[in-house]
Amino acid sequence: MRFVVKTDVGMKRTINEDRVGVFQREDGRVLAVVADGMGGHNAGDVASEMAITEFEKYFHAYNPSVVPEKEWLMYTFQTINQLIAQHSTSNTGCEGMGTTLIAGLFENSKGSKGIIAHIGDSRVYQITENLVQQITRDHSFVNVLLDSGEINEEQAKTHPMKNAIMKAVGTEKTIHPDFFEVEFVANSYFLFCTDGLSNKLSDSFIQSLLYSKKSLQVMGDELVEEANKSGGEDNISLILLTNKDEEV
């Protein structure tokens, strides 16, 4: 498994409230984490930084022979939720802060299986030469309207409440992340990203770029560049993981 990690403040923001990280262990396990913070001045980046830092700490201490992966992810999400909520209430300027949070836990081998835990509107896509599949489903107000039939997919793309999310880490006493079991099929990618990327790039553009004869590093750079060229109103972050051999 190879990966590239990118984060960019974008064209309009002065602070980057996104945090991303990929962490590896000697037993071959890989953890990919994306957090998009929200809150008052300087609070969003505090929340996302806490989420990434704590996840890394718990990951390196995790004993998979004692605790199943899904149970460990749930415990870690709940613990981070409590830590951010406590920090929010006890520190001036951090009131109401929170973060989206996605964590993907993989074995580091071709064809490996993984499990993804998700809260918020950051996303994970699985991409092959023939298919772009959004694995996660946004916890957003727009998706509530879609589910009730009040709006359609086209209306959702331009809805004025498009960026309003219904669930975040640190804003509620208890949280219930969604879980997805996934598998790396041959020559495929997993793209973890914040909405600063997913709101700007089409599935077809991403797919065509990933199956061009470019290096993983260059593809990561070009995804960020294209999101900025399309406006870059938000912070832009991504993790791109693949079991595909590097093009020469």
Side-chain angles (χ1 to χ4, degrees):
M1 187 189 300
R2 298 180 298 111
F3 59 86
V4 64
V5 181
K6 297 288 179 182
T7 187
D8 189 86
V9 70
M11 303 300 290
K12 304 293 177 68
R13 302 288 181 90
T14 57
I15 296 172
N16 190 347
E17 294 183 316
D18 290 355
R19 295 293 186 272
V20 288
V22 177
F23 311 105
Q24 302 179 83
R25 296 185 0 159
E26 291 183 359
D27 64 3
R29 283 178 172 81
V30 175
L31 177 71
V33 192
V34 172
D36 181 353
M38 67 200 79
H41 182 65
N42 284 338
D45 57 326
V46 172
S48 57
E49 181 72 30
M50 288 179 66
I52 299 294
T53 300
E54 292 299 319
F55 236 118
E56 180 184 12
K57 180 177 74 175
Y58 285 111
F59 176 58
H60 289 300
Y62 168 48
N63 186 345
S65 65
V66 175
V67 182
E69 292 177 341
K70 183 176 179 180
E71 187 176 324
W72 174 76
L73 283 167
M74 175 65 87
Y75 168 81
T76 306
F77 263 70
Q78 297 283 10
T79 302
I80 291 171
N81 182 66
Q82 292 170 6
L83 289 171
I84 292 175
Q86 290 167 2
H87 190 92
S88 173
T89 56
S90 59
N91 289 269
T92 303
C94 291
E95 298 89 346
M97 74 177 185
T99 183
T100 71
L101 188 56
I102 293 180
L105 185 59
F106 296 90
E107 297 173 13
N108 192 3
S109 61
K110 288 193 175 183
S112 66
K113 294 182 179 180
I115 184 168
I116 293 167
H118 157 67
I119 282 184
D121 65 350
S122 296
R123 293 180 178 179
V124 179
Y125 295 88
Q126 185 169 21
I127 304 163
T128 68
E129 261 187 302
N130 301 315
L131 181 67
V132 178
Q133 180 183 6
Q134 183 180 331
I135 301 297
T136 56
R137 179 168 172 78
D138 299 349
H139 296 132
S140 65
F141 180 68
V142 163
N143 271 345
V144 172
L145 297 180
L146 277 169
D147 291 342
S148 66
E150 292 183 50
I151 62 173
N152 58 36
E153 293 284 354
E154 284 304 309
Q155 292 171 316
K157 292 177 183 178
T158 57
H159 196 279
M161 296 289 286
K162 181 179 179 181
N163 294 324
I165 64 173
M166 305 297 289
K167 294 170 68 174
V169 174
T171 59
E172 301 175 49
K173 288 186 177 180
T174 59
I175 54 173
H176 302 282
D178 294 340
F179 290 92
F180 308 89
E181 294 184 2
V182 295
E183 185 170 357
F184 251 125
V185 298
N187 299 317
S188 66
Y189 295 87
F190 279 99
L191 174 63
F192 291 61
C193 64
T194 58
D195 61 342
L197 185 80
S198 58
N199 283 344
K200 291 299 178 181
L201 303 183
S202 68
D203 291 357
S204 59
F205 172 82
I206 294 171
Q207 186 182 40
S208 63
L209 176 62
L210 298 191
Y211 287 91
S212 64
K213 295 183 182 299
K214 296 179 179 179
S215 71
L216 195 63
Q217 185 72 33
V218 168
M219 291 190 293
D221 288 338
E222 290 194 9
L223 287 169
V224 173
E225 288 169 9
E226 288 299 319
N228 273 324
K229 286 179 183 177
S230 298
E233 292 90 354
D234 202 351
N235 306 144
I236 303 160
S237 298
L238 67 93
I239 298 169
L240 187 61
L241 305 103
T242 186
N243 60 4
K244 188 172 182 285
D245 292 333
E246 185 79 72
E247 296 287 351
V248 178

